[in-house]
Amino acid sequence: MEDDKKILEDKGFNLQGQVVFENYSGPDWTNKTMDILLQKARIMCSDEVELYFAGVDVTSVHLYNPRIELEALHTILSFLDKALCSGYHTINGILHTLRELSIKLIQELGDKIRLETIIVTNYSCDKERYLLQWGKSKGVRSKLQVAYVEGAGRGAIATEDLKVGDIALEIPVSAIISEELVHESDMFPILEKIDGISLETMMLLWSMKEKHNPDSKFKLYFDALPEVFNTGLSFGVNAIMALDGTLLLEETVQAKEHLRTQYDELFPALCNDHPGIFPTELYTWDQFLWACELWYSNGMKVMFTDGKLQTCLVPIAGFLNHSLCPHILHYGKVDSATNSLRFPLSRPCNAGEQCYLSYGKFSSSHLVTFYGFLPQGENPYDVMPLDIDATITDCSKDCCPLSSWTNHMVRGTWFSKNPGIFHYGLPPPLLYHFRRAQSPMLQANTHENLETELEILEALRSTFEDMLETLGETDLDDRSTSWDVKLAMEFKDQQRRIVSSIVTSCYYGCKLLEDELLKK
Ligand SMILES: C[S@@+](CC[C@H](N)C(=O)[O-])C[C@H]1O[C@@H](n2cnc3c(N)ncnc32)[C@H](O)[C@@H]1O
């Protein structure tokens, strides 16, 4: 993030800087102060993708990414809470007023982005209820219940109105499936002798057998797992063919090949050498793939109190679905006071509403491959990497913050607020790269360079038009087919929409430039 820091400093933002409250009087003081705090916090919470698309205009970051807005408001709230706890008594009133305003803004943001959850009523949730009861007996505290929700399997529904900071779910470490279990198992002495095998793979092999163990401590957890996962790793030939023209085709094929190689390295050898511990019928390729999908779609990174980060399966928390602007943003660190994993709310969730988690800042291609779904709403992390030789501008690294980006990408131009001349809704570092490539001595975007601009935009338009052609037309006849073809086609539609937005933006950009040139 060194480059990002540089961009911030160039904009006059000092991340380490103290917040100084000045002139706390006047009717609009609270709103103005909140604006200043938000500008800082948005930048602090921005990731490389947002900073790339914002270019030097980092203050615009929040407009298109509600998740960053939520993180920023949350950062402010934590800062105010800390300040209130540390007892700056003279300004307590001000801090409280700002705190109330942050809570109000978080509430308003939640209302704006609320997703409707349709609960499917004709599904019994017996297995899930048994698991919740088991959890309670193990010390799990939950303000969530499980229901079948349209389009996402099971989901977690708030049983009461939950406020910012409330703990929706608390799981004691003893109810988490972690490495400890594989260490204690009879497989460990065999597995630890295998060269290069990771603890994650050991856990995966352990879970394949434990799933069938009638005496397992986690039996109710395994019983409540889906029989199939329907991720991109299970795509059939037709779905893979439907991905033709997208990068996801190669990604899914490679991911599956990688897993197949891993399986072939272990089996049938382990079953032949240790049939008592690795029974052949439990270690088929299909069951291996099921376990991979389980760990990819349900595994959670957990930081334990000894500082070790492990991928774990967390019963009950595994019912939480993902959202682009979730209720639960910060989780995954075991609380040392309670020795439990807590899931606190970053935005309110009303009783009966589905409570969402963030799985991470993932692109749709990642979510399709490893989780098997496309999130609702516009995903700001849906970026297409561009294979561009960025070394042309490398020599000018220090002159302009835009030159520091070496990996270029695009996303839907609807995320940009600036379709105007010299911007065209396209990422500023990408345009900068092409400008420098065309005319290395270029100092600024001026009307002298209109011809160069036009050449760049025409070249970009032609590249993305070719890409659109490669993606082909939507085949509406295939809509009623299997889940995998449907998902692959929805993904491709989304890719088409992104590319098409870029073509349209280039087209309008060219028009703007032609009009300007006529005026000259
Ligand atoms: C950790 S599990 C969540 C619980 C899951 N729905 C279930 O029934 O077991 C992750 C899986 O839930 C589904 N999922 C999560 N978020 C989703 C969303 N926003 N839309 C559709 N499916 C989602 C995907 O199938 C994903 O692989």
Side-chain angles (χ1 to χ4, degrees), residues 151-155 226 229 231 297-298 318-323 356 359 370-376:
R154 284 85 48 94
F229 280 104
T231 74
S297 65
N298 280 255
F319 290 128
L320 288 156
N321 287 321
H322 170 83
S323 152
Y356 288 100
Y359 294 175
F370 298 107
Y371 294 87
F373 73 96
L374 284 167
Q376 251 178 294

Side-chain angles (χ1 to χ4, degrees), residues 115 128 146-156 221 224-226 228-231 293-294 296-300 314 316-324 354 356-357 359 367-368 370-376:
L115 297 175
E128 292 75 10
V146 182
Y148 271 83
V149 294
E150 203 171 84
R154 284 85 48 94
Y221 170 72
L225 285 173
V228 286
F229 280 104
N230 291 351
T231 74
E293 289 182 288
L294 163 67
Y296 281 130
S297 65
N298 280 255
M300 240 179 225
V314 188
I316 303 170
F319 290 128
L320 288 156
N321 287 321
H322 170 83
S323 152
L324 295 171
Q354 183 172 181
Y356 288 100
L357 190 72
Y359 294 175
L367 290 170
V368 168
F370 298 107
Y371 294 87
F373 73 96
L374 284 167
Q376 251 178 294

Side-chain angles (χ1 to χ4, degrees), residues 103-150:
I103 297 270
K104 182 172 155 261
L105 291 174
I106 290 176
Q107 173 76 52
E108 283 174 6
L109 176 71
D111 292 344
K112 238 188 276 168
I113 52 154
R114 176 162 295 132
L115 297 175
E116 206 200 337
T117 294
I118 300 174
I119 295 182
V120 184
T121 47
N122 55 345
Y123 271 103
S124 99
C125 284
D126 290 346
K127 287 180 181 170
E128 292 75 10
R129 255 196 311 276
Y130 297 147
L131 182 60
L132 288 179
Q133 279 164 11
W134 168 86
K136 254 192 197 151
S137 72
K138 298 280 168 231
V140 169
R141 290 175 194 214
S142 170
K143 290 178 178 158
L144 305 169
Q145 65 186 21
V146 182
Y148 271 83
V149 294
E150 203 171 84

Side-chain angles (χ1 to χ4, degrees), residues 204-229:
L204 184 130
L205 300 179
W206 173 86
S207 59
M208 286 172 75
K209 190 170 170 193
E210 192 68 6
K211 179 186 172 211
H212 301 280
N213 174 6
D215 302 321
S216 170
K217 176 183 165 191
F218 294 97
K219 181 168 172 18
L220 291 173
Y221 170 72
F222 285 107
D223 285 351
L225 285 173
E227 273 165 33
V228 286
F229 280 104

